[in-house]
Amino acid sequence: MNIIKQKALHLLENAFGKTGTVLAVRAWEPATFFEVDVHFPDMDMSGWKRVQHIKVRVGEGIYRDYTPAGWDEDIRTCTLYIHAEQDGPGAQWIRSLRTGDRITYVGVGATMHKPTYAGEMVVLGDMSSIGHYLALQQLAGSRKISGAITIADENHREEFKEYFNWNIQPVKNNGDGGLQSMLKWTSDKPLANSNIYISGHIPTCIRLRKELKKRNDSPLGILVQGFWS
Ligand SMILES: Cc1cc2nc3c(=O)[nH]c(=O)nc-3n(C[C@H](O)[C@H](O)[C@H](O)COP(=O)(O)OP(=O)(O)OC[C@H]3O[C@@H](n4cnc5c(N)ncnc54)[C@H](O)[C@@H]3O)c2cc1C
């Protein structure tokens, strides 16, 4: 993020910044993936027909986007699912977060992704997409979503299967952004009647979309929401 954008966000934070309180933090094993339950009393979720994202202050003048999932309107809580295998400011912030801490965020924004009602919904992404697709599933209600999430660590793949009763498979991320695993997962699936959602690592999203567009059975749509590069 360039310095002008950071300064603008800092001004916005002073004018419109809101806070939430951390209710619980759960780390997966190894501790490079975190679930954070947060109470956001003033969160404006009027756009909750699409998956939303919030800009969270992770350091002095530094903000990162995270996705509210499991939104409960009555008690105004949600869970953030944060991947922290890297060593960026967001990853450092989440590793230091404790129950009772305050979270400051600037605004709630809509992403490109919302449920589609024609055809099937197929989702593809990496661990930074888990919360995003849990939110999409919540919005889609009882409609089944299938797909694959690329996960490098074997124990994380086991935890994914154990924690989520979901028709989405954890597949191995071989260090190529998970591209080959996602292509392999799609290779024997008929996709002509599917809307495909892609999110996560931006270069991988672009390559995956390009490969899927080469298929003979053209999917109904390919909807990309890039997160990080
Ligand atoms: C709309 C939107 C919603 C998002 N929702 C979520 C969410 O719910 N959960 C979530 O975890 N992230 C989410 N992200 C991504 C998040 O905002 C950050 O970009 C990401 O967490 C990295 O921040 P960082 O400060 O840790 O690393 P950065 O300072 O951005 O990057 C440092 C280095 O780490 C690498 N890197 C960055 N992210 C990852 C990663 N996930 N895995 C491996 N290497 C990485 C970069 O390539 C870079 O080399 C979302 C992004 C957007 C735009």
Side-chain angles (χ1 to χ4, degrees):
M1 193 185 297
N2 67 42
I3 196 85
I4 297 173
K5 200 169 173 195
Q6 280 196 6
K7 281 191 173 157
L9 276 168
H10 193 58
L11 289 173
L12 274 174
E13 182 192 316
N14 289 337
F16 303 110
K18 291 180 182 158
T19 57
T21 305
V22 176
L23 304 175
V25 182
R26 294 177 294 281
W28 289 22
E29 175 54 43
T32 51
F33 187 76
F34 296 83
E35 303 177 20
V36 188
D37 299 335
V38 194
H39 179 225
F40 284 117
D42 305 314
M43 175 96 83
D44 175 8
M45 285 294 260
S46 53
W48 183 232
K49 289 173 188 67
R50 288 178 176 273
V51 178
Q52 303 289 300
H53 63 104
I54 53 175
K55 218 162 254 312
V56 173
R57 182 188 192 278
V58 298
E60 189 61 41
I62 308 174
Y63 302 83
R64 291 291 183 267
D65 291 285
Y66 297 113
T67 309
W71 174 245
D72 186 322
E73 182 66 34
D74 293 337
I75 53 172
R76 310 197 68 76
T77 59
C78 67
T79 303
L80 307 176
Y81 294 83
I82 300 180
H83 191 212
E85 166 191 289
Q86 69 283 6
D87 207 23
Q92 287 164 13
W93 168 79
I94 181 65
R95 287 197 282 264
S96 71
L97 207 60
R98 300 287 176 267
T99 300
D101 285 355
R102 307 281 276 176
I103 292 183
T104 300
Y105 67 100
V106 187
V108 185
T111 67
M112 300 282 292
H113 288 168
K114 63 175 182 178
T116 43
Y117 293 95
E120 319 238 321
M121 298 168 70
V122 174
V123 304
L124 299 167
D126 56 42
M127 288 190 90
S128 66
S129 311
I130 291 177
H132 182 81
Y133 290 138
L134 284 167
L136 185 68
Q137 178 70 76
Q138 188 182 355
L139 289 168
S142 58
R143 291 194 62 216
K144 279 217 174 67
I145 299 182
S146 63
I149 297 285
T150 62
I151 299 179
D153 186 86
E154 190 181 344
N155 196 56
H156 282 174
R157 291 197 292 278
E158 289 307 313
E159 287 185 280
F160 184 97
K161 281 190 254 175
E162 208 177 294
Y163 295 156
F164 303 123
N165 180 18
W166 215 5
N167 198 24
I168 295 177
Q169 280 175 11
V171 295
K172 200 167 176 186
N173 185 333
N174 286 317
D176 59 348
L179 180 69
Q180 290 311 321
S181 297
M182 287 189 278
L183 286 173
K184 186 163 178 257
W185 186 89
T186 55
S187 63
D188 60 352
K189 309 273 183 310
L191 296 179
N193 192 34
S194 300
N195 279 293
I196 302 179
Y197 297 76
I198 301 176
S199 64
H201 180 229
I202 295 167
T204 306
C205 292
I206 294 167
R207 280 184 216 121
L208 184 57
R209 180 173 185 273
K210 203 169 155 193
E211 291 302 319
L212 292 175
K213 283 192 87 123
K214 292 181 190 162
R215 286 176 64 111
N216 292 329
D217 63 339
S218 312
L220 296 172
I222 304 179
L223 310 152
V224 176
Q225 175 75 55
F227 281 179
W228 57 277
S229 56

